[in-house]
Amino acid sequence: MTSSTPRFSAVFFDCDGVLVDSEPITNGVLRAMLIDLGWDISERESIALFVGRSLRDEWEVIHRHTGFRIDEAWLADFRSRRNAALRAGLLPIPGAKEAVQAVATLMGDRFACVTGADRSKVEMQLTIAGLNELFGVRVFSGMEVPRTKPFPDVYLAAAEALSVDPATAVVIEDSVAGVTAGVAAGATVFGFAPASPTNAAPEDLRAAGASLVFTHMSQLPGLLLA
Protein backbone atom coordinates (compact mmCIF):
# COMPACT_ATOMS: atom_id res chain seq x y z
CA MET A 1 0.00 0.00 0.00
CA THR A 2 1.24 3.49 -0.86
CA SER A 3 1.18 5.97 2.02
CA SER A 4 0.94 9.76 1.88
CA THR A 5 4.34 10.14 3.54
CA PRO A 6 7.05 11.60 1.29
CA ARG A 7 10.15 9.47 0.90
CA PHE A 8 12.50 12.45 0.69
CA SER A 9 13.37 15.58 2.63
CA ALA A 10 13.29 17.80 -0.48
CA VAL A 11 12.63 17.69 -4.22
CA PHE A 12 15.03 19.46 -6.60
CA PHE A 13 13.81 20.03 -10.16
CA ASP A 14 16.09 20.77 -13.05
CA CYS A 15 14.49 23.34 -15.36
CA ASP A 16 15.32 22.82 -19.05
CA GLY A 17 13.72 19.65 -20.34
CA VAL A 18 12.07 18.92 -16.98
CA LEU A 19 9.82 21.93 -16.34
CA VAL A 20 9.96 23.69 -19.72
CA ASP A 21 10.43 22.39 -23.26
CA SER A 22 13.27 24.78 -23.96
CA GLU A 23 16.02 22.55 -25.29
CA PRO A 24 14.79 22.31 -28.92
CA ILE A 25 14.57 26.11 -29.06
CA THR A 26 17.90 26.81 -27.37
CA ASN A 27 19.71 24.11 -29.32
CA GLY A 28 18.26 25.39 -32.59
CA VAL A 29 19.65 28.87 -31.95
CA LEU A 30 23.04 27.47 -30.92
CA ARG A 31 23.29 25.17 -33.93
CA ALA A 32 22.51 28.04 -36.33
CA MET A 33 25.26 30.15 -34.77
CA LEU A 34 27.76 27.28 -34.93
CA ILE A 35 26.93 26.73 -38.60
CA ASP A 36 27.58 30.44 -39.15
CA LEU A 37 31.06 29.85 -37.68
CA GLY A 38 31.68 27.15 -40.28
CA TRP A 39 30.85 24.01 -38.32
CA ASP A 40 28.36 21.90 -40.29
CA ILE A 41 27.05 20.32 -37.09
CA SER A 42 24.00 18.06 -37.16
CA GLU A 43 21.06 18.46 -34.81
CA ARG A 44 21.86 15.12 -33.17
CA GLU A 45 25.52 16.02 -32.63
CA SER A 46 24.64 19.45 -31.24
CA ILE A 47 22.21 17.87 -28.76
CA ALA A 48 24.75 15.24 -27.68
CA LEU A 49 27.53 17.78 -27.14
CA PHE A 50 25.73 20.71 -25.54
CA VAL A 51 22.42 19.80 -23.88
CA GLY A 52 22.76 19.90 -20.09
CA ARG A 53 26.14 21.64 -20.15
CA SER A 54 27.35 25.21 -19.77
CA LEU A 55 28.17 26.64 -23.19
CA ARG A 56 31.03 28.66 -21.74
CA ASP A 57 32.66 25.45 -20.50
CA GLU A 58 32.47 23.90 -23.98
CA TRP A 59 34.61 26.54 -25.70
CA GLU A 60 37.36 24.05 -26.56
CA VAL A 61 35.18 21.78 -28.68
CA ILE A 62 33.80 24.83 -30.51
CA HIS A 63 37.32 26.16 -31.08
CA ARG A 64 38.47 22.76 -32.35
CA HIS A 65 35.75 22.66 -35.01
CA THR A 66 35.65 26.33 -36.00
CA GLY A 67 38.96 27.93 -35.06
CA PHE A 68 36.94 30.57 -33.19
CA ARG A 69 37.37 31.17 -29.46
CA ILE A 70 33.94 32.14 -28.19
CA ASP A 71 34.07 35.25 -26.02
CA GLU A 72 31.68 37.27 -23.88
CA ALA A 73 30.40 39.23 -26.88
CA TRP A 74 29.53 36.01 -28.74
CA LEU A 75 27.90 34.53 -25.63
CA ALA A 76 25.88 37.72 -25.10
CA ASP A 77 24.68 37.54 -28.72
CA PHE A 78 23.73 33.89 -28.21
CA ARG A 79 21.78 34.70 -25.04
CA SER A 80 19.96 37.56 -26.75
CA ARG A 81 18.90 35.39 -29.71
CA ARG A 82 18.06 32.49 -27.40
CA ASN A 83 15.89 34.61 -25.11
CA ALA A 84 13.99 36.11 -28.04
CA ALA A 85 13.27 32.63 -29.40
CA LEU A 86 12.20 31.37 -25.97
CA ARG A 87 9.85 34.31 -25.43
CA ALA A 88 8.26 33.55 -28.81
CA GLY A 89 7.83 29.80 -28.50
CA LEU A 90 8.45 28.35 -25.03
CA LEU A 91 5.92 25.90 -23.58
CA PRO A 92 5.90 24.05 -20.26
CA ILE A 93 6.54 20.33 -20.22
CA PRO A 94 3.11 18.59 -20.27
CA GLY A 95 1.95 18.01 -16.70
CA ALA A 96 4.83 19.97 -15.15
CA LYS A 97 2.73 22.66 -13.48
CA GLU A 98 0.35 20.10 -12.00
CA ALA A 99 3.30 18.03 -10.78
CA VAL A 100 4.93 21.02 -9.08
CA GLN A 101 1.62 21.96 -7.47
CA ALA A 102 1.30 18.40 -6.13
CA VAL A 103 4.88 18.55 -4.83
CA ALA A 104 4.11 21.87 -3.10
CA THR A 105 1.14 20.25 -1.36
CA LEU A 106 3.25 17.26 -0.34
CA MET A 107 6.51 19.01 0.59
CA GLY A 108 5.53 22.51 1.72
CA ASP A 109 8.47 24.76 0.82
CA ARG A 110 11.01 21.92 0.64
CA PHE A 111 11.38 21.95 -3.14
CA ALA A 112 13.40 24.08 -5.53
CA CYS A 113 14.39 24.67 -9.13
CA VAL A 114 18.08 23.86 -9.50
CA THR A 115 19.50 24.65 -12.93
CA GLY A 116 22.82 24.85 -14.68
CA ALA A 117 21.59 27.86 -16.65
CA ASP A 118 21.95 31.55 -15.91
CA ARG A 119 19.41 33.03 -13.51
CA SER A 120 17.85 35.48 -15.97
CA LYS A 121 17.05 32.64 -18.35
CA VAL A 122 15.51 30.32 -15.78
CA GLU A 123 13.46 33.08 -14.13
CA MET A 124 12.15 34.16 -17.53
CA GLN A 125 11.22 30.57 -18.37
CA LEU A 126 9.48 29.94 -15.06
CA THR A 127 7.46 33.13 -15.55
CA ILE A 128 6.41 32.14 -19.08
CA ALA A 129 5.42 28.67 -17.84
CA GLY A 130 3.44 30.07 -14.90
CA LEU A 131 5.75 28.40 -12.37
CA ASN A 132 7.55 31.39 -10.88
CA GLU A 133 5.14 31.89 -7.97
CA LEU A 134 5.34 28.22 -7.02
CA PHE A 135 9.13 28.30 -6.71
CA GLY A 136 9.45 31.84 -5.36
CA VAL A 137 13.00 32.51 -4.20
CA ARG A 138 13.91 28.81 -4.29
CA VAL A 139 15.75 29.04 -7.62
CA PHE A 140 19.44 28.12 -7.80
CA SER A 141 21.72 28.76 -10.78
CA GLY A 142 24.84 26.82 -11.63
CA MET A 143 26.32 30.08 -12.93
CA GLU A 144 26.45 31.34 -9.34
CA VAL A 145 28.58 28.53 -7.86
CA PRO A 146 32.22 27.64 -8.59
CA ARG A 147 31.33 24.79 -10.95
CA THR A 148 28.08 24.09 -12.75
CA LYS A 149 26.69 20.69 -13.76
CA PRO A 150 27.98 17.95 -14.15
CA PHE A 151 29.61 18.97 -10.86
CA PRO A 152 27.42 18.85 -7.73
CA ASP A 153 27.97 22.41 -6.49
CA VAL A 154 24.54 23.84 -7.32
CA TYR A 155 22.71 20.90 -5.75
CA LEU A 156 24.83 21.18 -2.62
CA ALA A 157 24.05 24.91 -2.47
CA ALA A 158 20.31 24.22 -2.78
CA ALA A 159 20.42 21.58 -0.05
CA GLU A 160 22.29 23.94 2.26
CA ALA A 161 19.80 26.76 1.62
CA LEU A 162 16.86 24.47 2.40
CA SER A 163 18.68 23.03 5.44
CA VAL A 164 18.42 19.43 4.20
CA ASP A 165 20.95 16.65 3.87
CA PRO A 166 21.45 16.12 0.11
CA ALA A 167 21.58 12.37 0.76
CA THR A 168 17.90 12.54 1.78
CA ALA A 169 16.78 14.62 -1.23
CA VAL A 170 15.63 13.60 -4.70
CA VAL A 171 16.73 15.27 -7.92
CA ILE A 172 14.66 15.26 -11.14
CA GLU A 173 16.90 15.41 -14.21
CA ASP A 174 16.67 14.69 -17.94
CA SER A 175 20.34 14.91 -18.99
CA VAL A 176 23.40 12.81 -18.28
CA ALA A 177 25.26 15.88 -16.97
CA GLY A 178 22.40 16.65 -14.59
CA VAL A 179 22.10 13.08 -13.33
CA THR A 180 25.87 13.03 -12.80
CA ALA A 181 25.63 16.24 -10.75
CA GLY A 182 22.80 14.91 -8.59
CA VAL A 183 24.56 11.62 -7.92
CA ALA A 184 27.80 13.45 -7.07
CA ALA A 185 25.84 15.52 -4.53
CA GLY A 186 24.77 12.28 -2.85
CA ALA A 187 21.10 12.60 -3.77
CA THR A 188 18.72 10.05 -5.21
CA VAL A 189 18.11 10.91 -8.86
CA PHE A 190 14.97 10.22 -10.89
CA GLY A 191 15.58 10.38 -14.62
CA PHE A 192 12.92 12.05 -16.76
CA ALA A 193 12.86 10.64 -20.29
CA PRO A 194 9.86 11.62 -22.41
CA ALA A 195 9.91 10.80 -26.09
CA SER A 196 11.94 13.79 -27.28
CA PRO A 197 15.16 14.04 -29.33
CA THR A 198 16.65 16.49 -26.81
CA ASN A 199 16.15 14.22 -23.77
CA ALA A 200 18.71 11.56 -22.96
CA ALA A 201 17.76 7.93 -23.50
CA PRO A 202 16.54 6.02 -20.42
CA GLU A 203 19.52 3.67 -20.55
CA ASP A 204 21.94 6.61 -20.57
CA LEU A 205 20.26 8.16 -17.51
CA ARG A 206 20.43 4.83 -15.66
CA ALA A 207 24.08 4.40 -16.63
CA ALA A 208 24.81 7.85 -15.17
CA GLY A 209 23.24 6.78 -11.88
CA ALA A 210 19.49 7.47 -12.04
CA SER A 211 17.71 5.09 -9.67
CA LEU A 212 14.62 5.02 -11.88
CA VAL A 213 13.35 6.60 -15.07
CA PHE A 214 9.85 7.92 -15.75
CA THR A 215 8.29 9.35 -18.90
CA HIS A 216 5.47 11.74 -17.90
CA MET A 217 5.26 14.34 -15.15
CA SER A 218 1.93 12.95 -13.97
CA GLN A 219 3.88 9.97 -12.62
CA LEU A 220 6.11 12.01 -10.33
CA PRO A 221 3.87 12.65 -7.28
CA GLY A 222 3.27 8.93 -6.78
CA LEU A 223 6.99 8.19 -7.06
CA LEU A 224 7.71 10.53 -4.14
CA LEU A 225 5.51 8.64 -1.70
CA ALA A 226 6.69 5.90 0.64
Side-chain angles (χ1 to χ4, degrees), residues 7-10 164-170 186-188:
R7 299 164 55 193
F8 305 99
S9 64
V164 300
D165 180 350
T168 65
V170 64
T188 299

Side-chain angles (χ1 to χ4, degrees), residues 66-209:
T66 67
F68 178 75
R69 173 65 158 94
I70 62 171
D71 54 18
E72 286 304 318
W74 190 90
L75 288 168
D77 185 31
F78 164 73
R79 293 189 192 105
S80 177
R81 297 189 195 189
R82 175 202 68 189
N83 289 353
L86 289 169
R87 283 191 290 269
L90 183 68
L91 294 172
I93 291 292
K97 186 170 185 178
E98 294 80 4
V100 176
Q101 288 171 331
V103 168
T105 299
L106 183 67
M107 305 297 300
D109 62 359
R110 291 177 293 114
F111 69 98
C113 178
V114 186
T115 177
D118 52 281
R119 179 171 293 275
S120 62
K121 174 177 183 268
V122 66
E123 290 183 344
M124 175 187 71
Q125 293 183 148
L126 293 176
T127 299
I128 292 171
L131 292 166
N132 55 314
E133 290 187 1
L134 287 167
F135 285 101
V137 299
R138 297 183 307 280
V139 176
F140 300 87
S141 167
M143 297 292 100
E144 298 170 2
V145 292
R147 304 170 301 175
T148 191
K149 301 173 186 179
F151 296 99
D153 303 33
V154 69
Y155 280 117
L156 295 174
E160 182 178 6
L162 269 63
S163 299
V164 300
D165 180 350
T168 65
V170 64
V171 162
I172 316 301
E173 277 283 1
D174 71 311
S175 71
V176 169
V179 172
T180 302
V183 170
T188 299
V189 181
F190 290 173
F192 179 57
S196 167
T198 54
N199 290 85
E203 57 270 24
D204 293 336
L205 298 179
R206 291 191 186 95

Side-chain angles (χ1 to χ4, degrees), residues 30-50:
L30 173 60
R31 180 171 174 247
M33 291 182 68
L34 294 176
I35 289 172
D36 286 346
L37 291 177
W39 183 0
D40 187 22
I41 185 172
S42 69
E43 180 183 30
R44 185 69 256 172
E45 187 179 10
S46 183
I47 290 166
L49 286 173
F50 299 110

